[in-house]
């Protein structure tokens, strides 16, 4: 589970169970996988936990479904940009050839309990790694 605090976007500041303010989380080499002797080939995002962003539309906070855009692969890094109907970049997920990753949010995310409660939002990503000779 990724733990990111949206206080940086004006969320529920300092509530019970509040975590440190951050909009990004990352893991070091080997955190997600190790490509082995055949080396890294590619990574694909199979699915992710549905989540919503909070957009301001006409002065009102509106939850909007988030979708993943097509991946961009450059130099062993594959990045997906997540967007909503009115927010071009809600979040990005980058998975690198060495098994490291970074997930960054650029907009507040909707949580299941509205109001002043402080809670974590679990977002999971399912992916497939293909090695250098095509094995998955």
């Amino acid at each position: 589970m990724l733990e990111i605090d949206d206080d940086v976007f004006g969320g529920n500041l300092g509530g019970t169970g509040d975590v440190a303010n951050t909009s990004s989380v990352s893991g070091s080499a080997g955190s997600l996988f190790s490509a082995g002797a055949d080396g890294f080939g590619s990574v694909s995002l199979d699915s992710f936990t549905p989540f919503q962003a909070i957009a301001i539309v006409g002065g009102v906070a509106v939850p909007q479904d988030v979708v993943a855009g097509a991946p961009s692969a450059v130099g062993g890094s594959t990045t997906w940009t997540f967007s909503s109907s009115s927010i071009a970049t809600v979040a990005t997920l980058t998975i690198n050839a060495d098994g490291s990753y970074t997930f960054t949010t650029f907009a507040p995310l909707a949580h299941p309990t509205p109001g002043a409660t402080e809670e974590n939002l679990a977002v999971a990503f399912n992916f497939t790694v293909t090695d250098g000779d095509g094995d998955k």
Side-chain angles (χ1 to χ4, degrees):
M1 177 178 87
L2 306 175
E3 230 177 60
I4 298 177
D5 193 29
D6 62 0
D7 290 356
V8 295
F9 302 114
N12 300 324
L13 301 173
T16 302
D18 197 14
V19 296
N21 293 343
T22 185
S23 60
S24 185
V25 64
S26 59
S28 60
S31 293
L32 298 178
F33 62 85
S34 177
D38 295 328
F40 175 79
S42 65
V43 61
S44 62
L45 182 62
D46 300 327
S47 64
F48 60 93
T49 305
F51 63 100
Q52 295 182 313
I54 301 294
I56 304 301
V57 179
V60 177
V62 177
Q64 296 180 338
D65 292 338
V66 173
V67 297
S72 170
V74 177
S77 295
T78 305
T79 300
W80 292 266
T81 299
F82 297 85
S83 61
S84 71
S85 59
S86 57
I87 304 173
T89 304
V90 171
T92 57
L93 171 65
T94 300
I95 299 177
N96 301 301
D98 65 0
S100 62
Y101 69 91
T102 301
F103 179 72
T104 304
T105 59
F106 298 94
L109 304 182
H111 290 253
T113 307
T117 63
E118 184 69 47
E119 63 188 359
N120 294 324
L121 176 67
V123 179
F125 301 94
N126 299 303
F127 58 93
T128 299
V129 176
T130 303
D131 68 12
D133 70 358
D135 296 330
K136 295 182 181 183

